[in-house]
Amino acid sequence: MCGITGFFSTDGFFKKEQIQLMTDRVIHRGPDSGGEFHDEYCSLGHRRLSIIDLSNRASQPMTSSSGRYVIVYNGEVYNYREVGAKFGRISHGSPDFTFKSSSDTEVILE
């Protein structure tokens, strides 16, 4: 049961300190680790409860290999192994996708 927080504003309405405070407030939902992402329009926070991939490689917010997409996610993709296999995670990689973890979140990010 992870915790996610976020802001979106086209006029820079939010401050980084606000997302930090919000993310700290949901630490009980994800005591294993936490992280944040900020750009000019969006600020995302995540508190992680590590279940599937216990390594730091599966920490969130997670950025796609292209750098175009960022995700914070609370849920579970039950068939993530099958989806990962389809895109080459299991079969030694694919030219289109390079997975850095074995988490279910990364499967939906790419």
Side-chain angles (χ1 to χ4, degrees):
M1 161 172 48
C2 299
I4 59 174
T5 59
F7 281 111
F8 177 81
S9 174
T10 57
D11 60 6
F13 171 73
F14 57 86
K15 296 179 181 168
K16 289 182 183 180
E17 295 80 19
Q18 291 172 301
I19 202 72
Q20 291 168 344
L21 289 171
M22 290 170 60
T23 305
D24 288 347
R25 294 284 295 175
V26 294
I27 194 169
H28 62 282
R29 293 188 55 102
D32 296 326
S33 68
E36 298 168 11
F37 166 83
H38 309 279
D39 72 10
E40 60 186 297
Y41 301 111
C42 180
S43 191
L44 302 172
H46 187 269
R47 290 300 316 181
R48 181 174 180 220
L49 179 62
S50 303
I51 296 175
I52 294 178
D53 183 338
L54 305 182
S55 74
N56 288 335
R57 294 184 314 259
S59 293
Q60 295 182 40
M62 191 176 283
T63 305
S64 67
S65 57
S66 70
R68 182 175 182 187
Y69 304 105
V70 178
I71 188 172
V72 292
Y73 175 68
N74 180 22
E76 185 173 351
V77 178
Y78 292 106
N79 67 336
Y80 75 98
R81 287 188 178 110
E82 292 83 5
V83 173
K86 178 178 179 181
F87 290 109
R89 173 184 285 169
I90 308 295
S91 60
H92 308 297
S94 161
D96 297 328
F97 298 98
T98 302
F99 293 100
K100 63 181 181 179
S101 76
S102 59
S103 77
D104 60 339
T105 302
E106 194 169 11
V107 167
I108 63 172
L109 180 61
E110 297 295 331

